[in-house]
Amino acid sequence: MRKMLVVVDMQKDFVDGALGTAEALAIVPAVVEKIKNYSEDCIWATRDTHQSDYLSTQEGKQLPVEHCIAGTAGWQIYPDISNVLPKCVRIFDKPSFGSVELARALAEENAHEPIEVEFVGLCTDICVISNALIAKAFAPEMTVRVDPTCCAGTTPEGHMAALTAMRSCQVLGA
């Protein structure tokens, strides 16, 4: 079975930028090592992608902190991560927490040849859980994993709650 890795939103704004946390910064070395253990053609990534009108969106009204604005330094994948991502990495720019485009692509890969997909990244309780559960919904028999040591939540409590929820939905490793 082919194993794929999805690196979720390991962007500057989430690591040490506008919404950065000590927990996010702490997982960077583990994510770097995880990437090194996958075949180059089996690594995909996501980027949280907002526009300049972010503060007027529903999300922006709930979280009034500009972040991951397309084209800005904070939107870029964190340098330690981007330095080890393969040149051929497929990146999904997502305007929301979860990416239907990513889920469809994973389901297509799984239909062609069964895969196991592992999610790592930020934030466990928002984008990691959203993408893992959408992927599971699009391909219920696909093996979906998350590595808790390569994820960080908005808070440690949020991280743990998301792992519990994912375990309930048959996401392995959570």
Side-chain angles (χ1 to χ4, degrees):
M1 181 175 299
R2 192 168 66 135
K3 295 184 178 189
M4 296 190 65
L5 178 68
V6 177
V7 180
V8 178
D9 297 359
M10 288 297 296
Q11 295 161 267
K12 183 156 180 44
D13 272 346
F14 290 133
V15 176
D16 66 2
L19 293 172
T21 64
E23 293 84 5
L25 191 57
I27 68 163
V28 169
V31 174
V32 166
E33 287 307 308
K34 179 72 70 173
I35 291 167
K36 290 178 180 179
N37 289 314
Y38 275 83
S39 298
E40 286 189 356
D41 62 336
C42 293
I43 302 169
W44 292 355
T46 68
R47 276 190 300 220
D48 193 44
T49 303
H50 300 294
Q51 304 306 314
S52 59
D53 68 344
Y54 171 76
L55 293 176
S56 68
T57 66
Q58 184 176 5
E59 180 184 333
K61 291 175 183 171
Q62 297 295 314
L63 178 63
V65 177
E66 284 190 340
H67 64 282
C68 299
I69 306 298
T72 66
W75 175 71
Q76 301 299 327
I77 295 176
Y78 195 70
D80 293 10
I81 303 297
S82 66
N83 288 341
V84 296
L85 285 174
K87 301 268 188 256
C88 62
V89 68
R90 184 170 178 187
I91 298 177
F92 294 82
D93 290 332
K94 52 186 195 55
S96 183
F97 305 132
S99 172
V100 171
E101 181 186 359
L102 169 66
R104 275 193 191 113
L106 288 168
E108 287 170 10
E109 291 286 324
N110 190 63
H112 175 67
E113 169 191 356
I115 62 169
E116 176 180 302
V117 61
E118 183 173 28
F119 288 86
V120 298
L122 304 169
C123 294
T124 320
D125 49 336
I126 301 175
C127 294
V128 173
I129 190 172
S130 295
N131 285 288
L133 295 182
I134 293 170
K136 194 71 174 157
F138 268 72
E141 295 302 315
M142 180 173 65
T143 301
V144 177
R145 295 184 176 281
V146 66
D147 183 342
T149 66
C150 292
C151 295
T154 55
T155 65
E157 297 79 16
H159 173 74
M160 295 306 294
L163 294 174
T164 298
M166 286 188 279
R167 271 193 302 275
S168 296
C169 295
Q170 301 168 3
V171 173
L172 304 178

